[in-house]
Amino acid sequence: MNLEKLFWSKTKVDILKYLLFRRQGISMRALESELSRTFPAIKKQVDSLLEAQVIDVNKEGQGRSITIKTEFHDNIKNIFFYGLRSELISLFDTYEVMIDKYFFGKRFGTDIESDLVIIYKNCEKPQIDSIKENINNIFRGYFIETVSVVFMSLEERQKRYRLADRFVLQIMRHIKE
């Protein structure tokens, strides 16, 4: 999913990502430094979001505090999680020779201990490190810094399944393969 095409602006998408995943109640000047965009670009997109009635700008006190309206927050967050999930699936498709299965966890609404579980095959440490770096870059693009990702070989998963390992059984219980 291309969020920039949906929202017509990379700056607007970055503002929404920041408000959803990093912090609400930020000023335009702070967004300018956090997003490395010019103030006019930030102001134009904030004005557009304000006109669309998606955000509120509190003009009380020193600065202007920008927040996503509560009635839109969960819906917009679902759209962005769909975009995040799509980017991850696209990444996993490029590594389909090495990745046997993947499971989305607690951050994606599934009741398992990790945010992402990746079962790999035919994979050496440098390739795993490359996949990890790509996953980190995708999450960082959404201003999500801390993610719990489990990499497990196919052999290890099968062994842990035979031993009735709690984590593997939890994955099996909550996710249909």
Side-chain angles (χ1 to χ4, degrees):
M1 169 181 224
N2 190 335
L3 292 170
E4 285 86 20
K5 295 289 183 187
L6 177 65
F7 289 99
W8 294 80
S9 164
K10 181 165 177 31
T11 302
K12 187 183 295 180
V13 168
D14 285 346
I15 290 168
L16 289 171
K17 283 179 184 177
Y18 193 90
L19 293 171
L20 287 168
F21 299 112
R22 175 74 56 87
R23 176 172 74 123
Q24 295 246 22
I26 189 167
S27 70
M28 284 191 268
R29 288 287 179 202
L31 275 173
E32 175 185 16
S33 67
E34 289 286 328
L35 301 179
S36 301
R37 300 277 197 290
T38 64
F39 185 80
I42 298 287
K43 180 161 180 13
K44 178 182 178 184
Q45 298 309 322
V46 166
D47 288 346
S48 172
L49 289 166
L50 191 59
E51 188 176 318
Q53 299 178 358
V54 174
I55 62 170
D56 283 321
V57 179
N58 182 356
K59 298 175 184 174
E60 304 289 322
Q62 290 285 74
R64 295 178 173 210
S65 168
I66 303 166
T67 57
I68 295 177
K69 288 189 173 192
T70 53
E71 59 267 24
F72 289 110
H73 189 274
D74 289 341
N75 293 324
I76 291 174
K77 195 168 193 169
N78 288 338
I79 291 169
F80 278 81
F81 264 116
Y82 180 81
L84 173 61
R85 188 181 188 113
S86 296
E87 284 186 51
L88 289 167
I89 289 170
S90 179
L91 173 70
F92 299 150
D93 287 346
T94 62
Y95 289 105
E96 69 182 329
V97 174
M98 294 178 250
I99 295 177
D100 184 56
K101 291 182 169 88
Y102 52 88
F103 306 100
F104 294 99
K106 66 182 173 190
R107 192 173 294 271
F108 297 92
T110 305
D111 188 25
I112 60 174
E113 295 171 14
S114 298
D115 296 321
L116 197 55
V117 178
I118 299 169
I119 311 298
Y120 65 89
K121 60 183 177 187
N122 306 326
C123 211
E124 298 297 323
K125 180 155 176 36
Q127 293 145 337
I128 292 172
D129 290 341
S130 175
I131 295 169
K132 285 179 183 178
E133 185 61 32
N134 288 327
I135 290 169
N136 281 334
N137 289 337
I138 290 171
F139 277 102
R140 277 190 212 115
Y142 283 79
F143 299 101
I144 300 172
E145 296 294 326
T146 306
V147 181
S148 171
V149 181
V150 173
F151 276 82
M152 187 183 311
S153 70
L154 183 60
E155 295 81 22
E156 180 184 356
R157 179 181 177 264
Q158 291 168 342
K159 177 183 168 189
R160 289 173 71 171
Y161 180 71
R162 283 191 307 272
L163 294 172
D165 179 77
R166 186 179 67 83
F167 180 69
V168 172
L169 292 177
Q170 183 184 37
I171 293 170
M172 301 297 290
R173 230 185 345 266
H174 292 288
I175 300 173
K176 293 181 177 42
E177 293 188 50

